[in-house]
Amino acid sequence: MSKHVVIDPITRIEGHLRIEAVIDENNVIKEAFSSSTMFRGIEEILKGRDPRDCGLLAMRICGVCTGTHYQRSIEAVEHAFGVTIPKNARLVRNLMQGALYLHDHIVHFYHLHALDWVDITKALEADPKKAVEEAQKWAKIAGTRAWNASEDNYKEVQDRVTKYVKQGRLGVFGNAYWGSKAYKLTPEQNLIGLSHYLDALDLQRRIAKAQAIFGGKNPHPQSIVVGGVTCVQDIKNPARIAEFKDIIQLAQKFTKQAYLPDVYMAGTMYADEALAGVGGGLGNFMCYGDFNLDDTPFYEAKKLFPSGIVLNKDLSKVYDLDQSKITEDVTHSWYEGNDNLHPFDGKTNPNYTGFKEKKEGIAYLDTDKKYSWIKSPLYDDQRMEVGPLARMIVGVARGDERITKYVTTFLKNGNLPTKVLFSTVGRTAGRAIESEMMADVIIQWCDELAANVAAGDLSTWTEFDFDKVSKDAQGYGMAEAPRGSLGHWVKIKDGKVVNYQAVVPSTWNAAPKDYKNRMGAYEASLVGTKVVDPDQPLEIIRTVHSFDPCIACAVHIVDTKGKELAVYKVDPLGGCRA
Amino acid sequence: MADSHDMVKKVFTTNSARVETNKGDAYYDSLFEKAKLRLKALKKQRPLKDIDMMDIVESEGVNRRDFMKWASATTATLMLPPMFTPLVAEATELMNRVPVVWIELQDCAGNSEALLRSSAPTVDDLIFDVLSLEFHETIMAASGHQADAQLEDAIEHFKGKYLLFVEGAIPTAMNGQYGTIGASGETFQEHLERLSKDAAAVVAVGTCATFGGIPAAAPNPTGAVGVMNIVKGKPVINIPACPANPANMVGVVLHYVLTGQIPELDSLLRPKFAFGYRIHDNCERRAHFDAGEFVEEWGDHGAQNNFCLYKVGCKGPMTFNNCSIIRYNEGANWPVGVGRGCIGCSEPDFWDKYAYERPMADANIKAPTGGVEKTVDQFGLGLLTATTIGIGVHAVTSAMVGKKTVHTKDGEE
């Protein structure tokens, strides 16, 4: 007999996500449904505002990759206005965005994802001395020394958590799937993971500080404006750049000595699943491209991550990205209509149909009809996966030297075949590989900025005539968030925004089925997975987390024609404010 | 020039002062005795977690002296006289007697992220030792019905005792169905109403939870409102800002531990210790405002010399918050520091009233604690005449937080 499992809330993510799965008598997932259950309407709110103010608002689409939304929104307007920013501004934006990548990946792996691999209660049984040897073993594979690996340190971590556990209330660590057979690490390995969890908590605080040096605060930085950046005094002060670089160097060390070895450790212990392709999903990968490496105008600069499309896991072919081929379908989303429209012309009239039924206190999604606030985006009528793994795959398929070097070194050191990448483990590995590359590159950018300022260039902003350029314009800011491809599209008329659309990583990954009943990336990655115990669906959580879900930003509301307000007014359920 | 002591005295006695910084010896003596009794009673309570604060402090590589310095700065942040410093230190060790349940509604997780950036105490201490954090979606291990059970257990076990922290607005349009949570499909509104019933107090953290924030910006498509519009019959403390400063989150808990009461609030339910002053009162660029030196456009001569940001849209003169004193991310920086100016994020409706990169032309400004409506021109004029007073406040508050700030002519520290 099959079983219908409802998991809500999916915790350790940003936003509100529900997963429902149908599991057969052999505990294999037959069907999966991904649903977002929260809706705010930020794109609607952006309409009618001054395009120069959009960045501050659009950034609040998400409190995690906030800086990315900020930059994309500002870039969309710069693109519309035809403004090219000065070198200092480009470098500072790259530094802020680069720091965000590192911050996000480290927080994701250790604080949002690790507890799916690491059973912290088992760490208490570990022998700290053996744990040191274990840590050294994995660090050696990564070609480095082990991070903070001493008997004393591991003992201290163990004592601290033992005390915590003994006091009876586990607080935020309570009631998890501890003890599940789906956990495969040894007690010593669990102790290493736990120790790095704590160290990473401290480290992420510092990386956020680095971003605040040029951004003013984190989350929600404030130093980017249409035409450039405002943080002149922090750019012209070499001590500030050095302080930033110092923090990134620490993050670089942690990435090489802890993060990569831990991924080797987890990857090896879960190698069977990786080799079997568990959690592999769609096999179609897309990258919008990111990080301008020179100061040529929009979308002509050389990119750190090249854009492109790879289909069916076939690395021998890569297709050029054409933004005009992006459309969004709402067949299974809580919106009206059945048009498949490009974001410039996106329509989104809410049409909430709610749950199908409630049985014994549990509500069930109406999965044949509409079941999510997220739309189903398509590229050239294909479903796509986006994210760090997609960036690595597109980079390798493009033959990008730098990306290929980091990916092949990772695989070679771990003695792993390329196919392990197409799995839940591979998605997690892709993020670690990217972190190492980012840390190395950011440090070079720090030096580049310091040298440019030392050479006397203090320009931070490109002037433009707002009244002239904002008469009738449209543009897009397409690049990559840590989680994947993120684009903002804006149409401007007489100095005001007339339409605004964001198509973000989780719109691609967390989307429901489309008009052809094809699954979204989360859904496709879950189908076929065997779950040890359906009452403790650890495997489901693990695979969904491997995408780094970020749900609030995936939810739309916008309409170019201003009709949606009427929808609220005539809402049969009442209680609405227009 | 008048004697500076006279000026400071005037600041603290004039009717226009926003905060009664000095409430008199009798008041503080009585509060001190009350706090002592409160801490004694808390100590008798069975600890939720047994901690030795000095152990934690030392494991951070910080000695007792530094810890007391922190306690002294925190005492000043809470706007209490120095005699409270030992009690604040003691209260820190007892913070985990007060369980915290943290829920997310119509949010972006920015305030959770801000909490993760807390530097004093640091986040690992907050999670493991200092706070008794019972439920927090972004960091908790359990998911699905196990997470639900964790929440139910916490509110049952700590009935009437827990502080409910709420992040995010509450959609009320369409019967609240713009947000549902949990397997049962409970709306955010139902969720909040249920969980606030047995809370000791509800803390709305961030501008979405306090005043509706971004979802409530015009045209407010989901009918979003803040916590105080929904929760009735419970004390509500608002800690606005986007995101709220973690120092103020910790401050509210600490104050509650210390006195057993919620801190003194302004008319918008904001703790006066944090929202008693305008950004402008303590701004590092204030001298340039007084001198009439402004950044006229991004990247100009004024920008390169840290001039005042009023003309490029800084809303510091209309915004009540302590960011100019405590800043963000271990004091690394703050919006005015990076040359952008304040967007007024701790004020109601700031998205529609303040958050744009032009100065206020002729807007009606309602000063929340002053209670007067003035146009910006009148307001600005008032500010200019109050300038010397502002500088006096700056000197005093800088000394209060243990940071000595010396202003040179060009405004650099």
Side-chain angles (χ1 to χ4, degrees), chain A residues 9 11-12 16 39 49 63 167 169 171-172 175 204 213 217-218 222 230 233 236 240 358 363 568 577, chain B residues 50 105-106 108 116-117 134 137 141-142 144 146 150 178 183-184 220 242 304 332-333 337-338 340-341 352:
Chain A
T11 53
R12 279 182 279 129
H16 299 270
F39 173 87
R49 296 189 191 248
Q167 284 171 143
R169 290 201 68 83
V172 286
N175 222 20
Q204 61 85 27
I213 288 172
K217 64 189 171 75
N218 173 292
Q222 207 159 310
T230 63
Q233 65 168 322
K236 68 178 188 184
R240 292 297 255 178
K358 218 177 210 181
Y568 298 116
R577 306 204 302 205
Chain B
D50 207 10
L105 302 175
Q106 228 178 353
C108 74
L116 287 175
R117 318 285 186 265
E134 295 296 317
E137 270 194 37
Q146 282 92 349
Q150 179 77 0
Y178 280 120
S184 69
N220 193 353
C242 189
Q304 287 180 8
N333 220 335
V338 287
R340 180 57 189 272
D352 298 325

Side-chain angles (χ1 to χ4, degrees), chain A residues 63-348:
Chain A
V64 184
C65 35
T66 149
T68 307
H69 280 286
Y70 190 18
Q71 291 200 21
R72 296 305 79 85
S73 181
I74 296 281
E75 281 166 13
V77 177
E78 284 166 351
H79 185 222
F81 292 175
V83 176
T84 303
I85 61 173
K87 185 172 186 170
N88 285 330
R90 170 179 65 85
L91 286 167
V92 164
R93 287 186 189 183
N94 280 0
L95 288 177
M96 283 169 63
Q97 176 77 345
L100 182 76
Y101 268 57
L102 270 181
H103 183 273
D104 214 58
H105 288 352
I106 288 169
V107 167
H108 176 261
F109 183 66
Y110 286 101
H111 309 121
L112 308 181
H113 200 19
L115 303 181
D116 307 331
W117 312 94
V118 175
D119 183 338
I120 59 165
T121 59
K122 286 279 184 295
L124 304 183
E125 299 162 14
D127 175 349
K129 198 172 165 186
K130 280 192 191 151
V132 175
E133 291 163 21
E134 184 71 19
Q136 284 166 346
K137 184 173 107 192
W138 298 109
K140 206 172 161 190
I141 290 174
T144 176
R145 278 186 229 178
W147 173 269
N148 204 7
S150 72
E151 213 177 317
D152 276 357
N153 173 48
Y154 289 144
K155 189 87 188 60
E156 199 181 319
V157 169
Q158 222 175 16
D159 287 349
R160 186 174 187 188
V161 178
T162 303
K163 201 165 138 194
Y164 185 78
V165 171
K166 272 199 182 146
Q167 284 171 143
R169 290 201 68 83
L170 273 177
V172 286
F173 299 108
N175 222 20
Y177 306 133
W178 310 132
S180 163
K181 285 202 174 69
Y183 283 114
K184 294 182 180 173
L185 303 187
T186 67
E188 284 73 26
Q189 292 172 339
N190 283 312
L191 179 58
I192 295 166
L194 174 61
S195 166
H196 293 166
Y197 176 103
L198 293 170
D199 289 342
L201 268 177
D202 191 50
L203 179 67
Q204 61 85 27
R205 191 167 51 80
R206 295 189 203 205
I207 308 175
K209 182 182 170 184
Q211 217 204 10
I213 288 172
F214 296 117
K217 64 189 171 75
N218 173 292
H220 301 328
Q222 207 159 310
S223 60
I224 303 175
V225 287
V226 174
V229 295
T230 63
C231 48
V232 199
Q233 65 168 322
D234 304 296
I235 288 173
K236 68 178 188 184
N237 181 353
R240 292 297 255 178
I241 301 175
E243 196 183 354
F244 183 96
K245 186 176 163 182
D246 213 39
I247 295 170
I248 300 300
Q249 278 171 330
L250 183 70
Q252 181 190 40
K253 193 173 164 194
F254 181 85
T255 304
K256 289 180 194 285
Q257 298 187 347
Y259 188 178
L260 279 166
D262 286 352
V263 168
Y264 280 124
M265 180 172 87
T268 306
M269 299 306 282
Y270 291 85
D272 289 358
E273 294 173 27
L275 289 166
V278 171
L282 294 170
N284 295 340
F285 298 94
M286 179 174 73
C287 175
Y288 288 173
D290 202 2
F291 293 107
N292 293 333
L293 299 179
D294 58 55
D295 299 297
T296 47
F298 264 92
Y299 305 110
E300 289 167 30
K302 186 171 161 35
K303 299 265 186 188
L304 180 68
F305 297 107
S307 67
I309 308 279
V310 167
L311 298 173
N312 302 316
K313 306 179 191 169
D314 180 3
L315 289 169
S316 69
K317 281 196 208 96
V318 60
Y319 302 90
D320 285 345
L321 183 95
D322 173 1
Q323 67 87 27
S324 72
K325 290 183 176 168
I326 294 169
T327 56
E328 290 190 292
D329 160 53
V330 295
T331 308
H332 289 285
S333 316
W334 284 312
Y335 304 100
E336 279 180 1
N338 46 15
D339 301 332
N340 206 348
L341 298 172
H342 182 271
F344 270 139
D345 305 308
K347 263 193 220 171
T348 316

